[in-house]
């Protein structure tokens, strides 16, 4: 009996279930990621958004098991990548996945490259780490990779050192390096934050087009709502180590349900709302500060800043519930 | 510091394709004194390497009865135990013997020439057995330089490995290695070396090993510090995210970045090791006779110090100059590696 060929698999490429990552500090145990569950389908693009310290980057590093231990530790949870639990893999198999099947690019492109080697050298090294190719072939593939990320004159650039390149160029090199082994999943941790605005747009455009071309999945981490809106299909909003809202990108921007998401969207400046014109108003900030992750309030972590707070919020943690089709939120009040 | 340094275009941008070491060399070259010292050190190396061609009791080239001989490079059966100087005196044209600039071997003695001050035959005089001081010093350079280099290589190797493990892994390995360093530092190094050497048969290799296994603490602490600093840099995380193992991260990515300050310390370390070897030889714990060493020549001069000034002056000056040159090279290197120290004009 012929098997149904290429039936759309229901199993996502990456499925994180109840991930808990903690850090031991002098003042106690810090739960940086507290029960996060995420899914990325094959070819899907997920955005992870939240402010500094909410656990976005720790989630990404947990996927690659790059949490510095000590003091960090992945306490529990499951990270299924293509059907295998990454948290149970021996380290040698994990190394084979890093850079080969899951790649990551970082926020600071210039310091993410080793200053003592030429960029070509570093790309070729990554290729040779995962594939048995000759030095010459690795070099040729490094040149091809540089060309692919839009670096002009790659034959000359391949022999340059990171200090001779601009930030945008370095990020292109990082992307070339991360994609040199054709990974299935690319994790981009604030890839454009350290760059100026025009370069940001170019880099995001490059990432999006390469992800499409190579039919990769993307996990994009950022605190920039604009970047999310342009780049991904699905968004998860994180606050104090938890996912507080998850939805398809248009749905989230049109019907934000969690008061934190609403607050974030309201705090964006609007085009055309210049001084003296109709619609001009002060930017609305979310009152208060993020609670210290060492000293979270009982119940909902957002309660102290929440305009909708009611007594129940201080008594128990709301569950992440589906309130609209494909739109889940962790809040008692919103509907 | 120096006033002749011009503020040119940014050295990082002015020339394409400059590696890190290329930049360091550019900076180093601007320090005239350090450059002169480096040339001096290299000359000393040449002297050590070509010692047999500079000082020897055999001729470099000998033509006799129409045949050519090279007695320094080859042992000829017919010249077994021949006194080449007597032979040379008996030669008549067209036969000739071409001797090295210093026609004495370091062990060749002539009691009739004992304790002669510098003269036309013995440029730096002779010792109490009539051995030529210059010849002995030329061969002594071999001992000094090889002890300096081998001993420092040993302890740089130990120090770098321990220091990088401590700095990279932190935690328990760091505690153990750091405590080991502290314990080691508590011992006065020189006396520890004397103690070790006292238990071992006298040989140049044992001195190298003794200096090597006692000197690693400084390098280990420095490497550990550099690794602590570098460990949190993004490129380390990036290489690990791209699938590099710990060992690869340590030795291929972190170490080259941490190496420059270590090499600076190693340069100073060579000077120290030479001084230690000279001190050991002076105290009689050094290389066994008849191998000549600068400290050994000094040691012999003790009995004649009230009149034989050449016995103390020349080896003393050689030690002093060599140490100074190494320190100057080390300082220039340090300034070139660390631009922050340079720009305090």
């Amino acid at each position: 009996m012929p098997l149904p060929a290429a039936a759309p698999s229901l199993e996502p490429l990456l499925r994180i279930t109840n991930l808990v990552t903690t850090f031991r500090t002098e003042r106690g145990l810090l739960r940086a990621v507290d029960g996060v569950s995420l899914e990325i389908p094959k070819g899907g693009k997920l955005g992870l958004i939240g402010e500094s310290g909410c656990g976005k980057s720790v989630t990404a590093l947990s996927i690659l098991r790059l949490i510095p231990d000590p003091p960090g530790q992945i306490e529990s949870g499951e990270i299924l990548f293509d059907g295998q639990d990454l948290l149970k893999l021996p380290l040698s198999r994990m190394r084979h996945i890093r850079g080969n099947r899951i790649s990551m690019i970082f926020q600071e492109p210039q310091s993410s490259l080793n200053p003592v080697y030429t960029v070509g050298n570093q790309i070729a090294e990554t290729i040779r780490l995962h594939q048995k190719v000759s030095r010459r072939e690795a070099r040729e593939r490094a040149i091809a990779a540089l060309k692919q990320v839009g670096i002009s004159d790659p034959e000359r650039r391949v022999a340059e050192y990171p200090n001779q390149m601009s930030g945008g160029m370095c990020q292109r090199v990082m992307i070339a390096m991360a994609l040199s082994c054709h990974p299935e999943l690319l994790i981009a941790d604030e890839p454009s934050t350290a760059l100026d605005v025009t370069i940001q747009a170019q880099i995001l455009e490059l990432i999006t087009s390469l992800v499409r071309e190579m039919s990769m999945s993307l996990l994009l981490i950022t605190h920039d709502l604009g970047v999310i809106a342009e780049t991904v299909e699905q968004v998860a909003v994180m606050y104090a180590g938890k996912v507080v809202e998850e939805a398809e990108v248009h749905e989230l921007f049109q019907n934000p349900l969690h008061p934190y998401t609403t607050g974030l969207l309201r705090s964006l400046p609007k085009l055309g709302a210049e001084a003296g014109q109709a619609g001009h108003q002060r930017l609305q900030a979310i009152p208060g500060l993020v609670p210290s992750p060492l000293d979270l309030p009982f119940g909902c972590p957002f309660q102290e800043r929440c305009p909708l707070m009611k007594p129940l919020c201080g008594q128990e943690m709301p569950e992440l519930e589906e309130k609209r089709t494909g739109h889940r939120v962790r809040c008692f009040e919103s509907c | 510091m120096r006033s002749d340094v011009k503020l040119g275009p940014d050295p990082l941008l002015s020339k394409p394709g400059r590696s890190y070491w290329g930049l360091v060399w550019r900076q180093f070259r601007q320090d005239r004194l350090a450059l002169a010292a480096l040339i001096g050190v290299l000359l000393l190396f040449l002297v050590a390497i070509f010692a047999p061609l500079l000082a020897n009791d055999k001729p470099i080239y000998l033509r006799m009865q129409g045949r050519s001989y090279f007695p320094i490079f080859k042992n000829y059966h017919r010249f077994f135990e021949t006194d080449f100087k007597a032979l040379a005196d008996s030669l008549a044209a067209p036969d000739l013997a071409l001797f090295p600039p210093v026609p004495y071997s370091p062990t060749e003695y002539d009691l009739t020439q004992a304790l002669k001050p510098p003269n036309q035959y013995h440029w730096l005089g002779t010792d109490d057995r009539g051995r030529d001081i210059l010849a002995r010093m030329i061969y002594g350079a071999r001992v000094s330089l090889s002890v300096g280099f081998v001993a420092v290589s040993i302890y740089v190797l130990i120090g770098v490995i321990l220091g990088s493990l401590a700095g990279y892994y932190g935690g328990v390995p760091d505690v153990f290695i750091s405590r080991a360093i502290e314990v080691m530092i508590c011992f006065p190094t020189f006396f520890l070396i004397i103690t070790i050497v006292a238990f071992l048969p006298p040989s140049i290799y044992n001195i190298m090993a003794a200096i090597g296994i006692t000197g690693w603490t400084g390098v280990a602490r420095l490497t550990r510090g550099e690794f602590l600093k570098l460990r949190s840099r993004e490129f380390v995380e990036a290489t690990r995210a791209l699938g590099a193992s710990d060992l690869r991260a340590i030795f291929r990515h972190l170490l080259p970045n941490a190496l420059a300050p270590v090499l600076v310390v190693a340069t100073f370390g060579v000077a120290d090791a030479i001084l230690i070897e000279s001190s050991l030889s002076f105290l009689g714990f050094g290389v066994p006779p008849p191998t000549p060493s600068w400290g050994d020549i000094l040691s012999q001069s003790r009995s004649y110090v009230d009149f034989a000034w050449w016995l103390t002056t020349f080896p003393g000056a050689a030690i002093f100059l060599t140490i100074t040159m190494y320190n100057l090279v080390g300082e220039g290197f340090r300034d070139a590696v660390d631009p922050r120290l340079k720009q305090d004009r």
Side-chain angles (χ1 to χ4, degrees):
Chain A
M1 199 174 92
L3 288 164
S9 163
L10 289 175
E11 189 59 32
L13 179 67
L14 183 80
R15 182 205 295 259
I16 304 176
T17 321
N18 269 322
L19 179 70
V20 179
T21 304
T22 59
F23 287 88
R24 288 186 293 280
T25 69
E26 282 172 13
R27 294 192 293 133
L29 198 67
L30 186 155
R31 292 168 86 88
V33 173
D34 192 1
V36 164
S37 301
L38 293 170
E39 275 183 18
I40 305 178
K42 283 201 171 73
K45 290 181 274 186
L46 174 71
L48 198 53
I49 196 162
E51 53 199 283
S52 308
C54 72
K56 323 179 286 275
S57 296
V58 177
T59 307
L61 290 176
S62 300
I63 297 173
L64 285 172
R65 282 175 52 194
L66 285 175
I67 299 292
D69 179 14
Q73 199 188 358
I74 300 175
E75 294 245 316
S76 60
E78 198 180 50
I79 300 177
L80 283 179
F81 175 72
D82 201 16
Q84 52 188 342
D85 189 352
L86 296 185
L87 298 182
K88 295 206 177 86
L89 281 187
L91 207 58
S92 56
R93 301 252 323 266
M94 192 64 221
R95 272 207 300 277
H96 184 68
I97 285 182
R98 291 177 193 154
N100 195 24
R101 300 188 64 192
I102 306 179
S103 257
M104 184 156 175
I105 50 183
F106 293 86
Q107 182 170 359
E108 294 282 345
Q110 262 160 328
S111 51
S112 297
L113 291 167
N114 192 330
V116 303
Y117 295 116
T118 62
V119 295
N121 207 324
Q122 297 184 54
I123 301 174
E125 189 196 336
T126 309
I127 296 172
R128 279 169 58 83
L129 210 53
H130 296 293
Q131 290 167 19
K132 295 227 177 307
V133 295
S134 66
R135 270 173 199 286
R136 174 182 298 212
E137 199 188 331
R139 195 187 132 86
E140 270 157 23
R141 283 179 56 180
I143 294 175
L146 286 179
K147 194 177 239 157
Q148 191 179 27
V149 294
I151 286 181
S152 57
D153 203 0
E155 286 85 359
R156 194 169 62 83
R157 288 294 190 174
V158 80
E160 289 195 350
Y161 289 86
N163 65 45
Q164 295 170 286
M165 296 190 158
S166 65
M169 286 272 236
C170 283
Q171 193 59 294
R172 283 172 194 267
V173 171
M174 273 310 292
I175 294 171
M177 214 154 116
L179 301 188
S180 58
C181 294
H182 301 283
E184 291 143 72
L185 173 64
L186 176 67
I187 302 174
D189 187 357
E190 310 241 11
S192 58
T193 310
L195 308 170
D196 65 62
V197 183
T198 39
I199 308 293
Q200 270 189 20
Q202 290 173 13
I203 292 293
L204 287 171
E205 172 57 36
L206 177 69
I207 291 176
T208 329
S209 67
L210 287 174
V211 162
R212 196 185 319 115
E213 253 169 58
M214 300 166 78
S215 56
M216 282 181 292
S217 304
L218 174 70
L219 174 59
L220 179 70
I221 295 171
T222 181
H223 59 248
D224 188 335
L225 289 162
V227 166
I228 284 285
E230 286 165 25
T231 318
V232 300
E233 297 151 356
Q234 186 82 10
V235 188
V237 183
M238 279 187 79
Y239 186 79
K242 287 187 153 49
V243 174
V244 294
E245 183 164 11
E246 194 186 349
E248 193 269 326
V249 62
H250 295 291
E251 167 72 15
L252 185 92
F253 277 85
Q254 265 149 37
N255 299 308
L257 292 183
H258 197 281
Y260 176 61
T261 318
T262 322
L264 282 182
L265 290 172
R266 257 199 226 124
S267 62
L268 283 180
K270 289 187 183 57
L271 203 63
E274 278 171 33
Q277 288 182 358
H280 165 68
Q281 53 187 356
R282 291 182 71 94
L283 282 179
Q284 291 188 23
I286 303 174
L289 292 171
V290 189
S292 156
L294 284 167
D295 187 24
L296 287 177
F298 198 78
C300 175
F302 192 61
Q303 53 179 290
E304 283 158 12
R305 309 170 72 184
C306 184
L308 307 175
M309 190 212 166
K310 61 179 186 181
L312 182 59
C313 301
Q315 286 158 19
E316 57 183 283
M317 172 71 83
E319 290 300 309
L320 195 60
E321 282 176 77
E322 186 154 345
K323 299 265 170 103
R324 291 163 62 100
T325 323
H327 192 154
R328 301 189 297 157
V329 67
R330 189 187 289 279
C331 185
F332 295 120
E333 269 301 292
S334 58
C335 52
Chain B
M1 195 180 263
R2 277 184 316 278
S3 55
D4 59 340
V5 179
K6 291 185 200 76
L7 258 187
D10 185 346
L12 290 176
L13 299 175
S14 56
K15 270 208 166 176
R18 283 267 178 199
S19 72
Y20 175 70
W21 294 109
L23 290 171
V24 168
W25 170 237
R26 259 164 72 101
Q27 290 288 353
F28 183 88
R29 258 188 337 194
Q30 293 174 4
D31 187 343
R32 291 289 161 81
L33 199 56
L35 195 62
L38 181 67
I39 292 169
V41 167
L42 293 177
L43 282 178
L44 202 60
F45 260 95
L46 292 180
V47 168
I49 292 167
F50 295 109
L53 291 179
L54 292 173
N56 213 318
D57 55 351
K58 296 175 184 172
I60 300 175
Y61 175 67
L62 176 68
R63 193 164 63 207
M64 210 165 78
Q65 294 152 2
R67 293 184 62 184
S68 293
Y69 301 96
F70 300 92
I72 290 179
F73 302 101
K74 200 173 161 194
N75 284 320
Y76 295 96
H77 192 66
R78 76 175 277 196
F79 294 129
F80 183 69
E81 299 213 326
T82 303
D83 181 349
F84 282 100
K85 277 175 203 138
L87 182 71
D89 288 340
S90 68
L91 290 178
D95 293 350
L96 75 98
L98 193 64
F99 279 94
V102 182
Y104 304 97
S105 89
T107 49
E108 175 190 4
Y109 61 90
D110 178 358
L111 292 176
T112 62
Q113 295 294 315
L115 291 172
K116 291 274 189 262
N119 56 53
Q120 66 186 101
Y121 304 109
H122 299 283
W123 296 347
L124 299 186
T126 59
D127 67 5
D128 53 352
R129 281 168 224 169
R131 293 179 296 197
D132 186 71
I133 295 296
L134 183 53
R136 288 181 71 70
M137 279 176 55
I138 287 172
Y139 280 81
R142 293 188 138 186
V143 172
S144 296
L145 293 185
S146 53
V147 166
F149 267 82
V150 175
V152 169
S153 306
I154 293 172
Y155 77 61
V156 164
L157 198 69
I158 301 175
V160 158
I161 290 175
L162 290 179
S164 29
L165 294 179
Y168 185 81
Y169 287 107
V172 177
D174 185 26
V175 170
F176 274 99
I177 292 170
S178 295
R179 292 303 88 77
I181 292 171
E182 281 155 23
V183 168
M184 213 52 201
I185 286 176
C186 291
F187 293 106
T189 316
F190 189 67
F191 294 99
L192 188 60
I193 292 171
I194 291 182
T195 314
I196 296 173
V197 171
F199 281 104
L200 297 171
S203 109
I204 186 171
Y205 303 107
N206 289 333
I207 293 177
M208 293 170 178
I211 298 176
I213 59 175
T214 52
W216 54 272
T217 50
V219 174
R221 285 215 295 188
L222 190 70
T223 313
R224 174 179 172 271
E226 286 293 314
F227 267 62
L228 284 179
K229 189 177 82 186
L230 292 167
R231 184 174 61 168
S232 55
R233 292 270 295 273
E234 276 91 352
F235 71 83
V236 182
E237 197 169 43
T239 44
R240 302 225 301 134
L242 293 173
S245 62
D246 281 356
L247 282 183
R248 181 176 274 271
I250 291 175
F251 290 108
R252 193 169 150 78
H253 289 278
L254 280 164
L255 194 54
N257 282 286
L259 212 52
V262 172
L263 290 181
V264 171
V265 169
T267 315
F268 289 116
V270 172
D272 280 348
I274 291 174
L275 204 56
I276 290 173
E277 185 278 321
S278 300
S279 313
L280 285 175
S281 295
F282 183 78
L283 293 175
F285 292 105
V287 289
T291 314
S293 136
W294 294 343
D296 184 45
I297 304 171
L298 268 183
S299 166
Q300 287 166 1
S301 70
R302 271 180 300 183
S303 329
Y304 316 101
V305 74
D306 44 353
F307 70 97
W309 56 270
W310 59 94
L311 283 180
T312 47
T313 311
F314 298 118
I319 295 170
F320 172 76
L321 275 177
T322 309
I323 307 290
T324 309
M325 286 191 302
Y326 269 105
N327 281 319
L328 285 173
V329 171
E331 256 170 50
F333 190 21
R334 186 189 60 202
D335 290 350
V337 162
D338 192 347
R340 272 167 308 178
L341 283 173
K342 273 179 60 69
Q343 286 164 359
D344 57 353
R345 281 167 291 126

